[in-house]
Amino acid sequence: MPTAQIKNAEPSNVITPAKIDWQMDDTGNMVPVSGEFEDVYFSHADGLAESRHVFLAHNQLPERLANLAPKQCFTIAELGFGTGLNLLATWQLWRQLRETHPQLATAKLHFITTEKFPIPLADLTQILALWGQRAPELTEIIELFLSAYPPLIAGCHRLHFFNDNLTVDIWLGDAAISLAKLALDTSTKPAPYIDAWFLDGFAPSCNSTLWAENIFAQIQRLSRSKTTAATYSCAGIVKRALQNCGFEIKKVKGFGRKREMLTAVMADKVYSNDSDSSSTLSSAHNHIVVIGAGVSGLLTAWSLANRGIIVTLLDKSAPLAGASGNPRALLAPKMTPIHHVDEHLHTIGYLYSSRLYRKLNDKAAKQNTAPVLELTGALDLLIKANIGTEQILDYPDDMATTLSLAQAKETTGLKDQDLSENLYLPQSGLVNPQALKNIILTHPLIHFQQLEVSSINEMESHVCIEGSNHEKGTMTISADNVVICAAYESHQLDKRIFDCRKIRGQLSWFIPSAAQWAKLPKLPLKYGGYCTSFSGQAGDSKLNEVVEGEQYLLLGASFVRNDTDTDIRNEEHQISREKLVTAIPEMESVIPTDTSLWQGRAGIRTQTPDYHPMVGQLVGSKRIWTMSAMGAKGYALAPICAETLVDMMLGSFAPLSAAMLARLSPNRTRLQTPLN
Ligand code: SAM
């Protein structure tokens, strides 16, 4: 096998997509070949059977998965995602087992995979079409997978397949770097670990990086007693490396004509990460109370309930009664130069939210309710942005691109504006908070209860939450854990939570005349402020004065520090108008100066001095957690932060790096000094 020299002048966190070549194999079939490594991804004749033999059977997955307890999570890590064939084979096995083993209804499969040279979607679609033809049992999951395939950007992309209780984390970038980012928080029990490894790099002779010392150091760090590993390779360096990590290795019959392969199991008591805890959900997580039913609380409840946990969601008034209850939220990221993207919470959160909301759209369609995300795309005029057109070029077009002047004029409908520099975001859109709330609150494990919480008392075995309810008077609720998602009021509930900056923000909307409509921008625009049209949907009136079927123009938003009043102010309508007409002067004659008929909603944004949210367990506590301080970005940040928090609570691997978790800690150094 030729040894390919990898030339990658890019920094390690900038992704080079795989270059796919096609070659005829010795059975006369065309197979995909890696342009970087000049090796085949799989054998056409029996790639799927080989995957089942090497990785599934020799990690004993059929037996181990079948024997999972209710709510137990099994974690697989793969080196070299390639075409995803191993994932598909595992997924299909998991589906089969779930059909025949009723106790698996609440068990979870977490598949973590790494890939440095991800295959572009068009190539992957072509490659997987082969398997769709040869193995019709894979057709449906191939389609599901392709529709969730992320843009090729460094970092972790979490994909959910809710109906299969399957979560897939694709870490794009060098495997050694990605594995090093997986947080092993041993302070909260149980600490996460990998149950089974799929070591599927190209042959060590042509791809040494996936078999290097730093990789095995990570394998050792992330394993514990009884963790298994399997690989088709029997190379000496692989055997020795696995043994040095504490694995007992065994040579077994390889697939087909291959003489041998390796299977390995981490010996008992070798590794210090061992604890009596297994990944079975402990009784400490049967019932969790979430305080605050804004976007943070709703998403936390959603992530918990999807792990089989009963959630009581509390709010002093009603779901979305506070700052998250706007008629629409524009989901559009604050961008960063691509070299920082893998550690940029806004980008990670935006991509995850966009994917999640689109998934929830399917649920909304089934319930015949309004979509959670209307995928409109958005155009940023780059008036107040920290990225220019040069840097936008570094991004894949399906994430961010610049429209030509003609396209920008056509798409916006603007006549006089200088649109030569712009940022087009195809995955942006309008979130409908009411629609999101509907889906979340229909989850059978989430129960909403109005309660104004007055005290939280942590005991050895549980937490007691006391408060008053409009109808029932004083109430006490007992839970295994509590998550405080009460925005700026979180500090009142537990003084260990930082007393954040409070920023009032008012959003404005009105019904333009037909003549005005003709001149208004045709898609959401960002320019420091933002504007978008939207049409009233069924349910909107539950949160705001919005009439179903009516067309509105929405303008945002004011920022007033240290003001916690939520009255609607004419001068703040004017501020939002001013922002728009200053950025787009041709709107001066279109947007009325008389704003007396405008509607609005004011909410209080909560912000830390370093602008990062707070996500994690409170210092000195075992059962009290917080997720708050989303600033004005709740709909982009809350979904990924909620997944992260729940992973920390349950001892699973989070979709954010260990460094990011430290940055989000509610106990970080920056939050030790109060605001002055
Ligand atoms: N498991 C794959 C499947 O089911 O199709 C096949 C994997 S293929 C044999 C090996 C993969 O490892 C390739 O996709 C290659 O790009 C990837 N790879 C090579 N070096 C890597 C590195 N340092 N970090 C992450 N992935 C790497």
Side-chain angles (χ1 to χ4, degrees):
M1 193 119 8
T3 305
Q5 280 295 319
I6 305 303
K7 287 201 199 75
N8 184 7
E10 296 283 8
S12 60
N13 54 0
V14 176
I15 292 299
T16 308
K19 198 184 149 309
I20 299 295
D21 299 324
W22 289 84
Q23 271 177 20
M24 192 173 288
D25 71 3
D26 47 14
T27 59
N29 288 298
M30 296 305 282
V31 284
V33 176
S34 154
E36 283 76 22
F37 298 98
E38 297 173 25
D39 200 352
V40 290
Y41 282 96
F42 51 71
S43 114
H44 178 84
D46 40 27
L48 183 58
E50 181 165 9
S51 167
R52 286 172 173 150
H53 174 86
V54 176
F55 298 108
L56 277 49
H58 282 290
N59 274 305
Q60 298 85 44
L61 293 194
E63 306 86 295
R64 292 168 83 193
L65 293 178
N67 287 319
L68 291 181
K71 297 192 201 174
Q72 190 173 355
C73 177
F74 190 91
T75 307
I76 295 171
E78 176 185 52
L79 299 188
F81 180 69
T83 67
L85 189 57
N86 291 334
L87 166 66
L88 296 171
T90 309
W91 187 348
Q92 198 248 335
L93 168 69
W94 178 235
R95 270 196 163 187
Q96 265 177 354
L97 292 171
R98 278 168 48 84
E99 273 168 22
T100 47
H101 296 71
Q103 94 282 4
L104 296 183
T106 56
K108 298 274 163 196
L109 182 60
H110 188 184
F111 194 98
I112 299 172
T113 184
T114 56
E115 179 53 63
K116 186 169 181 181
F117 303 99
I119 301 179
L121 180 61
D123 293 307
L124 192 63
T125 306
Q126 193 184 350
I127 293 168
L128 294 183
L130 285 178
W131 289 113
Q133 289 154 15
R134 291 180 60 87
E137 70 272 25
L138 298 185
T139 315
E140 191 190 333
I141 56 180
I142 289 173
E143 209 174 288
L144 283 172
F145 178 68
L146 289 174
S147 66
Y149 199 60
L152 305 188
I153 287 174
C156 179
H157 302 265
R158 173 162 287 192
L159 321 180
H160 292 289
F161 302 97
F162 290 122
N163 292 341
D164 295 311
N165 280 4
L166 168 68
T167 299
V168 178
D169 285 348
I170 305 186
W171 286 83
L172 297 184
D174 190 272
I177 296 173
S178 300
L179 293 179
K181 288 185 175 188
L182 290 177
L184 250 197
D185 184 358
T186 45
S187 66
T188 55
K189 290 231 166 188
Y193 59 86
I194 302 297
D195 290 285
W197 290 92
F198 292 4
L199 308 184
D200 197 16
F202 289 122
S205 54
C206 67
N207 178 200
S208 58
T209 60
L210 276 189
W211 310 98
E213 228 171 79
N214 55 356
I215 292 277
F216 285 101
Q218 290 304 327
I219 292 178
Q220 181 171 31
R221 182 178 77 93
L222 300 168
S223 301
R224 62 154 218 170
S225 290
K226 303 201 173 44
T227 292
T228 60
T231 173
Y232 65 87
S233 172
C234 255
I237 56 158
V238 180
K239 286 191 279 191
R240 284 190 296 279
L242 282 171
Q243 282 171 321
N244 288 343
C245 292
F247 282 97
E248 286 165 0
I249 60 164
K250 203 156 104 190
K251 273 193 216 165
V252 291
K253 169 81 184 73
F255 180 75
R257 281 176 292 164
K258 291 186 186 153
R259 218 158 35 95
E260 48 196 24
M261 59 161 279
L262 277 184
T263 164
V265 57
M266 179 67 87
D268 274 344
K269 306 269 178 266
V270 164
Y271 190 58
S272 59
N273 182 29
D274 285 355
S275 68
D276 292 335
S277 60
S278 75
S279 54
T280 309
L281 199 61
S282 73
S283 59
H285 297 294
N286 282 332
H287 173 220
I288 294 182
V289 161
V290 175
I291 302 176
V295 62
S296 293
L298 283 166
L299 267 300
T300 301
W302 173 255
S303 288
L304 286 167
N306 281 314
R307 317 284 176 109
I309 294 164
I310 297 168
V311 182
T312 304
L313 177 62
L314 304 176
D315 197 282
K316 65 175 180 182
S317 40
L320 295 182
S324 314
N326 289 329
R328 296 292 179 271
L330 177 61
L331 184 69
K334 216 190 236 169
M335 300 284 289
T336 191
I338 200 146
H339 307 101
H340 304 140
V341 79
D342 56 331
E343 287 288 331
H344 189 243
L345 189 64
H346 281 274
T347 312
I348 302 168
Y350 160 72
L351 289 174
Y352 176 74
S353 296
S354 177
R355 196 164 41 239
L356 174 72
Y357 297 153
R358 279 177 278 155
K359 200 122 206 152
L360 298 184
N361 277 354
D362 299 341
K363 285 189 191 284
K366 280 197 192 115
Q367 296 178 8
N368 216 4
T369 53
V372 173
L373 179 69
E374 192 190 335
L375 256 192
T376 53
L379 198 77
D380 190 329
L381 303 186
L382 297 177
I383 291 170
K384 204 178 157 197
N386 41 357
I387 181 166
T389 42
E390 284 278 292
Q391 292 159 311
I392 295 167
L393 277 177
D394 296 334
Y395 276 87
D397 289 353
D398 55 349
M399 157 91 193
T401 184
T402 295
L403 297 183
S404 70
L405 189 55
Q407 279 172 321
K409 281 197 179 281
E410 165 72 25
T411 320
T412 58
L414 295 177
K415 301 271 179 293
D416 306 327
Q417 188 75 11
D418 176 7
L419 294 169
S420 50
E421 305 224 320
N422 66 71
L423 161 65
Y424 178 63
L425 298 155
Q427 297 187 26
S428 281
L430 298 180
V431 184
N432 179 333
Q434 169 68 21
L436 178 64
K437 174 193 113 179
N438 266 344
I439 302 257
I440 291 178
L441 293 186
T442 50
H443 195 296
L445 295 181
I446 301 176
H447 308 280
F448 176 76
Q449 166 83 62
Q450 185 275 321
L451 192 77
E452 176 148 16
V453 175
S454 51
S455 72
I456 302 168
N457 294 310
E458 182 171 358
M459 324 278 186
E460 189 52 37
S461 62
H462 64 285
V463 198
C464 256
I465 296 110
E466 250 182 49
S468 62
N469 169 270
H470 289 333
E471 286 160 8
K472 299 180 190 154
T474 305
M475 280 177 71
T476 302
I477 300 176
S478 162
D480 300 306
N481 277 260
V482 62
V483 187
I484 302 173
C485 301
Y488 73 94
E489 288 163 306
S490 300
H491 174 73
Q492 296 309 325
L493 292 169
D494 193 312
K495 293 284 185 287
R496 288 170 291 188
I497 303 176
F498 188 74
D499 191 8
C500 287
R501 199 172 280 149
K502 297 138 193 101
I503 305 170
R504 177 192 144 93
Q506 179 176 303
L507 211 71
S508 312
W509 62 95
F510 68 98
I511 302 176
S513 67
Q516 288 163 344
W517 269 122
K519 294 181 182 159
L520 284 171
K522 293 197 274 184
L523 90 165
L525 295 184
K526 277 184 80 183
Y527 43 80
Y530 59 94
C531 71
T532 177
S533 61
F534 75 96
S535 70
Q537 302 275 349
D540 275 335
S541 60
K542 291 194 178 137
L543 287 181
N544 293 292
E545 273 187 52
V546 168
V547 178
E548 186 180 350
E550 199 68 80
Q551 295 290 324
Y552 296 88
L553 184 75
L554 179 105
L555 302 173
S558 61
F559 284 79
V560 187
R561 276 201 183 191
N562 299 326
D563 185 343
T564 49
D565 286 339
T566 53
D567 55 318
I568 304 304
R569 299 173 187 166
N570 195 39
E571 62 267 30
E572 289 180 38
H573 286 325
Q574 294 293 344
I575 288 174
S576 289
R577 182 190 183 277
E578 200 51 38
K579 273 191 195 167
L580 173 59
V581 302
T582 305
I584 309 173
E586 67 191 83
M587 287 300 118
E588 177 67 65
S589 60
V590 184
I591 308 292
T593 45
D594 177 4
T595 56
S596 56
L597 287 181
W598 288 23
Q599 278 144 4
R601 182 183 178 106
I604 311 307
R605 308 179 187 102
T606 309
Q607 201 176 57
T608 59
D610 58 16
Y611 303 98
H612 279 301
M614 298 186 277
V615 182
Q617 195 170 46
L618 299 192
V619 64
S621 167
K622 287 204 173 92
R623 297 177 182 275
I624 307 182
W625 307 72
T626 191
M627 187 176 115
S628 47
M630 300 285 145
K633 289 282 175 195
Y635 285 93
L637 300 183
I640 197 76
C641 289
E643 278 294 290
T644 300
L645 182 84
V646 171
D647 282 327
M648 288 196 271
M649 294 177 87
L650 305 189
S652 313
F653 288 105
L656 298 176
S657 71
M660 179 66 77
L661 299 193
R663 260 174 256 145
L664 298 179
S665 166
N667 314 313
R668 59 192 184 258
T669 316
R670 186 67 185 83
L671 303 185
Q672 302 309 314
T673 319
L675 292 172
N676 46 33

